[in-house]
Amino acid sequence: MTVYRYDGSQKTPKNYIGVRVAVSVNGVLQQKWFPGVTGECKEAEELERQWKFEQQLYKSKRMGERKEKPQNSAYVTGVAGIKMKFVASIKRRNNNVYHSYAPMFIISGSVNRQKFSKKYNIKTLGFDMAWFKACQYAADKYGSTRLDYMLEKKPSVQQFHLIYRWQTEHGGHVIPRDRLPNELLD
């Protein structure tokens, strides 16, 4: 609650009596005093609702425009919650183990303590369509109306050369070159 009532028994400058509204909006503390009021103050409660609404607008805007923190990772796309990498799937046939690799966009995170994860195969959908579907899914999950903003952050398909090198040299994976996105094979 951001409406504070002072009846004189609290320690305040000059034994203040009244109501104070204090809400942080976009990192700036906004406050207003209503002196002499001892009971309910409708004007203070209305001001609190207005400032809380403003606070929520700024929060939504920041969440929609948030960027991924800079990391030294080949998998970073520039949009928080969306990564790109080769995903291995293991298949077993006649007591033999086969590893299959697919370039994918991986969306993962949580909303209201509910975790989610989804993958979009770039090899089957194509780079552009996989990116569109990944952004659309992320926007639906996060409740963001900033789909256009996310779509503009599309990484270069060339980044898969770096990911390929990283996963084969440092990750110990044996990924056939034909598993690169089709846009790189042309």
Side-chain angles (χ1 to χ4, degrees):
M1 178 152 175
T2 55
V3 176
Y4 305 95
R5 290 172 173 71
Y6 299 98
D7 60 7
S9 64
Q10 299 91 344
K11 189 170 184 172
T12 61
K14 300 180 185 176
N15 292 330
Y16 182 79
I17 296 175
V19 174
R20 177 174 72 106
V21 180
V23 177
S24 178
V25 177
N26 200 25
V28 177
L29 178 66
Q30 296 188 17
Q31 64 179 343
K32 185 171 182 181
W33 295 84
F34 296 91
V37 179
T38 55
E40 293 295 313
C41 182
K42 298 291 182 193
E43 190 178 349
E45 291 169 0
E46 179 59 35
L47 185 60
E48 177 196 28
R49 277 191 293 278
Q50 179 184 351
W51 283 348
K52 289 260 188 190
F53 179 74
E54 228 177 293
Q55 180 185 51
Q56 196 61 34
L57 287 175
Y58 278 108
K59 182 180 177 183
S60 295
K61 183 179 178 189
R62 279 193 314 273
M63 287 298 285
E65 294 176 349
R66 69 187 174 131
K67 292 183 179 175
E68 197 167 34
K69 293 178 184 171
Q71 300 174 5
N72 189 13
S73 174
Y75 312 128
V76 172
T77 62
V79 175
I82 303 177
K83 301 276 187 246
M84 55 194 286
K85 67 188 294 187
F86 287 95
V87 176
S89 61
I90 300 172
K91 297 177 183 175
R92 300 176 196 280
R93 289 187 201 134
N94 302 332
N95 294 331
N96 291 328
V97 177
Y98 299 97
H99 293 276
S100 175
Y101 294 91
M104 294 193 183
F105 287 115
I106 303 164
I107 305 92
S108 62
S110 67
V111 175
N112 297 329
R113 298 185 183 192
Q114 294 291 319
K115 292 183 180 181
F116 60 88
S117 179
K118 187 152 178 111
K119 300 172 187 167
Y120 289 98
N121 190 327
I122 295 168
K123 195 77 170 162
T124 58
L125 292 171
F127 191 79
D128 293 334
M129 182 55 76
W131 178 251
F132 175 77
K133 288 185 177 246
C135 291
Q136 191 174 36
Y137 181 79
D140 289 344
K141 282 298 182 180
Y142 289 120
S144 174
T145 57
R146 308 286 297 175
L147 179 61
D148 292 338
Y149 173 80
M150 287 192 276
L151 290 172
E152 289 173 4
K153 295 290 185 181
K154 180 174 75 172
S156 169
V157 71
Q158 301 297 325
Q159 188 170 338
F160 266 103
H161 284 302
L162 178 64
I163 295 168
Y164 177 83
R165 193 170 63 241
W166 179 261
Q167 283 190 260
T168 54
E169 292 175 7
H170 302 290
H173 298 280
V174 181
I175 305 170
R177 288 200 60 81
D178 69 333
R179 298 309 298 161
L180 284 166
N182 294 336
E183 290 83 355
L184 293 176
L185 297 176
D186 294 339

